Amino acid sequence: MKISTLIFLGFSVVLTLSLVDSYVNNLLSRQVNKNTVFLANSESVIRNSSKLHKSIIDMQSAFRGYLLTDDENFLTPYDSGLKEIPRLYIEQRRLVKDSAPQLSRLDSIFALHKNWVNYANDLISSRRESLAANGSSNRYRELFDTKFRKQVGQKLNSKISDIFRDFDRFEYKIRETRRDTLTMSIERTETFSFTFVILTIVVAVTTSVYVVKLISKRIAMMVNLAESISKGKFAIVKDNKNDELTSLSTSLNIMSERLSKNIKELEKRNSELNQFAYVVSHDLKAPIRGIYNVVQWIEEDLANEISPQMRKYLSFIPQRINRMEGLIDGLLDYARISRDKALKEVVDVNLLLKDIVDLLVPKQFTVQIGEMPVLFTERIRLEQVFSNLISNSVKYTNHADSQIRISYKELNHFYEFTVEDNGIGIDPEYNDKIFEIFQTLREKNDQESTGIGLAIVKKIIDDQHCTIRVKSELGQGAKFIFTWPQN
Amino acid sequence: MKKVILLVEDDELDVISVERSLKKNDLDYELYTAYNGIEAMEMLKSNNGEIKLHPDVILLDLNMPKMNGIEFLKALRKDEKLKDIKVFVMTTSGDEADRKTTEQLGVSGYLIKPLNFNNNSKRTDSMDGFFQFHIRKIFAS
C-alpha cells in the first residue's frame, strides 16, 4: 500500500469518526432540547390548571355568597370567572393537545363547569327576579328547593375537583418520567461524546505513529545502506513493500550494485595490470642476463683476439644493460607497491633516516636531520619514499658544498616531511612532470636516472591518501614536501 | 672423485654457464646435457627399461618444453632404480607453488637463478658467480 494512501485512509477514518460524533451529538441534544421544552410546557399546564381550578372555586364561592347575602358585590369574581374560564380552557387545551387523556379530562371539567354555570345562572337570575318582586317569586323558590337543596351544584363541583386532582396527578407523573428521560439522555450524550473523542484520538495517534515509524524505518534502512556504501561495502537493502520509497531503495540498490561491479572490475584490472607488469619485468630480465653473459664471455675468452674498437663497442653493451635492468627493477618495484601488502609497525623515523643516509649518501655531503617522530606505519613504504627522495637529492647535487636537509612539522592527523637539497634544481615548468613514470630530465644514456623513483614515491603517497609537491627553481636546489598519516 | 652430472636445461646459455663454472673450478666431472625432460629420460633409460646412465647429480631446470622439470621429477621418483638420484632444481621462477611441489617430490636444493647481474651486486648474483658458487657446494655434497 502506498504511504499517501495510508495517510489518506487514516485521515478519512478520523474525519468519519468526527462526523458521526457530531451527528449523534446533534441528535442527542435535540432530544434533550425536546425534553426541556416538554418540561417547560408541563410547568405551564400545571400553572394553568391551578388558575382554572381557582377561578372555578372563586365562582362557586361568589355564587354561594350572593345567595346568602343578596349583595351584588359578591358576584364580581363570578362575572370575571365567566369571562376568564373559557379563555383559560382554550389555552389549556392548546397546551395539552398532544395528550388525549388530559384533553378528555379537561373537556369533562369544562362540560361539568358549563352545567354548573347554567345551574348557577338560573338560580342567580331567578333570585334577582324574586328580589325585584319582593320575595314573591315562585321560580326561585322552586329552583332553590329542587336544585340547591338537593346539592346539584355541590355534586358538580366535587366532580370537577376530582377530575382536577386526576388531571394534576397525571401531569406530575408524566413530568417525573420526562425528567428521568432528560437526565438519562444528558448522561448518554456525555458518555457517547467521551467515547467518540477517545476513539478518534486513538485512531489518529495510531495512524500517525504507524506512518512515521514506517517511513523512518525505511529511511533508516537506506541511510544504513548509504553509510555502508561510503565505507566501501556494497550491500543491498531488502524492500518487499511497494510505495513511494520503493523507487528510492531500488535506485540505491542499482547504484550499489553498479558501484560494486565497477569497483570489482577496477580492482581486477588493476591486479591484472600489476601481474602483467611483474611478469613482463621478470621475463624481460632473462634474455638481458644472457646478453650480458655472452659479452662477459667474449671479454674473458677472446681478450687477445678483439680489436680496441670492438672492445669499445662491446663496452657499450653492459652500460645499456645496466640501464635496462634499472628500468625493469623500477617497473617491478612500481608494480609491487600495490601487489605486496606491507605490515604496519612502530617506526622511529630518526633511526630509519640514519640507516638510509648511511647507505645512500656519500661522505662529502652535509646532512642535517632534525628531531623526527616515531610512528606506527608501513615501514617499507616510508623507507621507499625517503630512499628515493634522498637518492634523488644525491643524484642531482654534485658540488663542493652539497647539502641535504630533512625536517618535519605536525599537521592535523598528518606529518609533513621536507627533503631539501642545494643541487641543480628543477625548472618549475617540469614540477608536475617529474612524478610521471619514465620521466627523467637527464639524457637517455645516463644509467642512474630511470624516471621511476619519483613515480614510485608518488604512487606510495597516493596509496596513503597523502600528497607530495616540489618547490624548486633551476639552479636553486629542490625541496620535496610530502604528508604522511600519523597512524 | 669424479662426479657424473646430468644437466637438464633448455637455455643453451645456462648450459654454457654451467660448463664454464665446472671448468673454472677445476673439478673432476663428466657432464651430460639434455634440453628437456623427455631427452633426459631417454638418456637415463632405454626403451626396454634398462638403465643406461646413473648420474650422481641431476641439475634440473623447471621451465622447459615437451616435458618440464616437475613432470620429469615425478617420473624419476617413480622409477625404482632412479628415484634416489640427488636432484638440484635451478630455476628463475620464484613461484612458491613450484618450490613446494618439488620439495614434496624430494630435492637436495632449490636454487633461484639470479636475475640481477650488475657489477655492484653480490658475487652470487651474477650468473657465472651463481653457478660457480653452487657447483662447488653440489660437488661437496
Side-chain angles (χ1 to χ4, degrees), chain B residues 35-91:
Chain B
Y35 288 93
N36 60 57
I38 291 187
E39 264 184 41
M41 265 305 163
E42 281 166 359
M43 290 176 101
L44 296 171
K45 289 198 300 187
S46 63
N47 286 341
N48 55 21
E50 199 181 308
I51 302 298
K52 292 199 295 189
L53 177 69
H54 197 287
D56 298 306
V57 177
I58 294 175
L59 303 180
L60 181 64
D61 187 21
L62 290 185
N63 195 9
M64 289 182 298
K66 292 184 185 168
M67 183 193 254
N68 70 29
I70 290 175
E71 288 162 347
F72 171 78
L73 190 59
K74 279 181 187 164
L76 190 78
R77 294 300 183 220
K78 271 184 199 155
D79 191 298
E80 275 303 310
K81 290 166 189 158
L82 298 172
K83 66 178 183 187
D84 295 328
I85 300 173
K86 276 184 190 167
V87 174
F88 287 83
V89 172
M90 296 194 302
T91 176

Side-chain angles (χ1 to χ4, degrees), chain A residues 323-335:
Chain A
R323 179 169 164 72
M324 186 74 193
E325 191 204 9
L327 287 169
I328 293 169
D329 278 345
L331 206 58
L332 211 55
D333 286 344
Y334 190 77

Side-chain angles (χ1 to χ4, degrees), chain A residues 372-387:
Chain A
M372 288 288 149
V374 176
L375 13 132
F376 184 70
T377 191
E378 295 142 337
R379 170 190 284 277
I380 178 108
R381 300 279 177 256
L382 189 60
E383 193 180 327
Q384 277 174 299
V385 170
F386 274 122
S387 295

Side-chain angles (χ1 to χ4, degrees), chain A residues 134-374:
Chain A
N134 282 322
S136 59
S137 168
N138 291 330
R139 191 166 154 254
Y140 174 72
R141 185 64 46 206
E142 197 188 306
L143 278 173
F144 192 83
D145 288 340
T146 56
K147 296 212 169 152
F148 195 83
R149 281 265 171 83
K150 285 184 179 163
Q151 298 188 326
V152 170
Q154 221 164 327
K155 277 177 190 158
L156 280 172
N157 284 342
S158 72
K159 237 183 204 167
I160 286 171
S161 286
D162 284 349
I163 297 173
F164 260 115
R165 209 175 302 117
D166 285 349
F167 184 93
D168 288 354
R169 204 181 290 135
F170 186 84
E171 196 61 39
Y172 276 119
K173 213 174 156 191
I174 286 177
R175 247 168 84 173
E176 203 60 40
T177 323
R178 283 287 175 138
R179 190 173 285 126
D180 288 350
T181 317
L182 179 64
T183 317
M184 229 168 70
S185 62
I186 286 170
E187 272 173 8
R188 204 190 301 152
T189 309
E190 278 173 354
T191 318
F192 186 84
S193 279
F194 183 73
T195 316
F196 254 78
V197 165
I198 294 289
L199 200 64
T200 310
I201 288 170
V202 165
V203 170
V205 168
T206 313
T207 313
S208 1
V209 166
Y210 180 74
V211 169
V212 166
K213 265 199 163 181
L214 188 75
I215 294 175
S216 62
K217 199 179 131 205
R218 307 279 305 283
I219 289 176
M221 265 159 70
M222 282 177 241
V223 167
N224 281 344
L225 177 63
E227 266 174 11
S228 63
I229 288 175
S230 75
K231 284 176 191 151
K233 226 182 96 202
F234 301 101
I236 276 194
V237 80
K238 282 197 190 80
D239 193 340
N240 36 28
K241 299 234 166 41
N242 182 21
D243 57 33
E244 292 90 335
L245 288 176
T246 310
S247 60
L248 180 58
S249 56
T250 310
S251 305
L252 267 175
N253 283 344
I254 291 172
M255 191 182 82
S256 176
E257 264 170 43
R258 278 203 188 145
L259 269 174
S260 163
K261 213 178 125 198
N262 287 350
I263 283 185
K264 270 187 199 140
E265 186 71 15
L266 213 62
E267 278 169 353
K268 202 181 137 217
R269 293 251 177 94
N270 209 20
S271 91
E272 274 172 5
L273 203 66
N274 283 332
Q275 189 62 27
F276 173 76
Y278 185 74
V279 168
V280 164
S281 306
H282 198 264
D283 289 357
L284 280 177
K285 277 191 158 188
I288 295 166
R289 185 185 57 138
I291 296 169
Y292 183 79
N293 274 295
V294 173
V295 173
Q296 259 196 331
W297 296 341
I298 291 171
E299 281 175 348
E300 277 176 27
D301 295 2
L302 308 170
N304 300 324
E305 290 167 41
I306 51 176
S307 65
Q309 186 159 26
M310 179 102 160
R311 190 183 304 277
K312 191 189 165 201
Y313 289 164
L314 279 177
S315 75
F316 288 135
I317 296 177
Q319 266 183 31
R320 294 298 187 275
I321 281 174
N322 277 335
R323 179 169 164 72
M324 186 74 193
E325 191 204 9
L327 287 169
I328 293 169
D329 278 345
L331 206 58
L332 211 55
D333 286 344
Y334 190 77
R336 268 184 189 146
I337 296 168
S338 312
R339 191 173 169 267
D340 303 338
K341 292 264 175 287
L343 285 176
K344 279 191 171 186
E345 56 190 297
V346 176
V347 179
D348 183 343
V349 181
N350 297 293
L351 297 179
L352 183 81
L353 285 176
K354 191 178 173 296
D355 287 348
I356 295 171
V357 168
D358 285 352
L359 193 72
L360 296 176
V361 183
K363 290 274 177 290
Q364 69 268 25
F365 274 75
T366 313
V367 183
Q368 284 177 29
I369 302 175
E371 182 66 28
M372 288 288 149
V374 176

Side-chain angles (χ1 to χ4, degrees), chain A residues 281-282 285-294 296-297 300-301 318 321-322 325 329, chain B residues 11 13-14 16-17 20 24 92-94 113-119 121 127-128 131:
Chain A
S281 306
H282 198 264
K285 277 191 158 188
I288 295 166
R289 185 185 57 138
I291 296 169
Y292 183 79
N293 274 295
V294 173
Q296 259 196 331
W297 296 341
E300 277 176 27
D301 295 2
I321 281 174
N322 277 335
E325 191 204 9
D329 278 345
Chain B
D11 186 340
L13 287 186
D14 281 352
I16 295 173
S17 263
R20 287 172 65 89
K24 273 190 182 169
T92 51
S93 160
K113 285 187 248 178
L115 284 170
N116 292 319
F117 36 80
N118 64 46
N119 302 331
S121 315
M127 195 158 71
D128 274 16
F131 282 120

